[in-house]
């Protein structure tokens, strides 16, 4: 099914559809259902990439978005699904936004844990500062 959805050419879609039907030819009820609800009357034009390439350009999500969504649901919404829209807006404005701004400020100011590359750069910078002090004392 996934290969059918992501076919980027119409010929490729038609070829994969025929292969799909051959592969599941022993599943008559399934193929009838699939044909009725997904193929007949051009329904495939709504879900196949070959017929709507502009809708499939940025369909994939990334781990950062999924992680943020999980954090929003667990930390801020406390896994309650019955939130009203006005309450959601209140939480986003008064809780999420200040936390987000604080996180950005920490990143910009480099507050918090250093990565190995940052740690190594800091060591080199401190070494350079100490060398300058030694040279200054020699020249004075």
């Amino acid at each position: 099914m996934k290969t059918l959805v992501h076919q980027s050419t119409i010929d490729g879609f038609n070829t994969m559809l025929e292969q799909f039907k051959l592969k599941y030819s022993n599943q008559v009820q399934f193929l009838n259902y699939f044909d009725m609800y997904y193929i007949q009357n051009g329904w495939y034009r709504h879900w196949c990439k070959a017929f709507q390439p502009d809708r499939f350009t940025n369909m994939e999500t990334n781990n950062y978005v999924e992680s943020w969504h999980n954090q929003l649901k667990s930390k801020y919404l406390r896994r309650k699904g019955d939130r009203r829209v006005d309450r959601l807006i209140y939480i986003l404005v008064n809780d999420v936004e200040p936390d987000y701004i604080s996180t950005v400020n920490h990143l910009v100011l480099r507050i918090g844990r250093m990565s190995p590359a940052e740690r190594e750069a800091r060591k080199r910078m401190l070494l350079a500062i100490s060398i300058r002090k030694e040279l200054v004392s020699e020249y004075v």
Side-chain angles (χ1 to χ4, degrees):
M1 289 286 291
K2 193 175 188 178
T3 55
L4 283 173
V5 171
H6 291 286
Q7 282 300 312
S8 57
T9 64
I10 295 172
D11 291 335
F13 172 77
N14 290 329
T15 303
M16 292 305 296
L17 180 60
E18 291 305 315
Q19 290 176 2
F20 180 81
K21 287 181 177 180
L22 284 173
K23 182 177 181 178
Y24 296 102
S25 60
N26 59 343
Q27 305 290 327
V28 178
Q29 284 183 312
F30 169 73
L31 284 178
N32 288 339
Y33 175 86
F34 180 75
D35 191 51
M36 182 186 302
Y37 290 100
Y38 292 95
I39 302 299
Q40 287 181 0
N41 300 322
W43 288 114
Y44 56 88
R45 294 181 184 273
H46 297 280
W47 54 263
C48 179
K49 181 179 181 177
F51 299 97
Q52 296 192 6
D54 55 323
R55 288 191 184 181
F56 283 79
T57 54
N58 292 319
M59 183 175 258
E60 296 84 18
T61 60
N62 62 32
N63 289 338
Y64 178 76
V65 173
E66 295 292 337
S67 173
W68 191 89
H69 186 247
N70 184 42
Q71 187 177 24
L72 174 67
K73 289 190 308 184
S74 59
K75 181 178 177 183
Y76 298 105
L77 300 177
R78 296 188 179 98
R79 298 268 179 215
K80 294 180 182 175
D82 59 346
R83 296 281 186 202
R84 295 180 359 204
V85 173
D86 61 332
R87 181 71 182 147
L88 175 63
I89 292 170
Y90 178 85
I91 290 170
L92 288 172
V93 170
N94 294 311
D95 296 337
V96 175
E97 184 182 23
D99 285 356
Y100 180 75
I101 290 171
S102 175
T103 301
V104 169
N105 287 337
H106 280 104
L107 291 172
V108 169
L109 297 173
R110 297 180 185 239
I111 298 171
R113 294 185 64 160
M114 287 192 256
S115 70
E118 290 172 330
R119 192 174 299 112
E120 191 60 37
R122 179 73 177 156
K123 284 179 185 177
R124 283 185 301 217
M125 186 178 80
L126 291 173
L127 180 63
I129 290 171
S130 68
I131 291 172
R132 286 188 212 145
K133 286 179 183 177
E134 292 171 5
L135 290 176
V136 169
S137 65
E138 288 179 24
Y139 291 112
V140 175

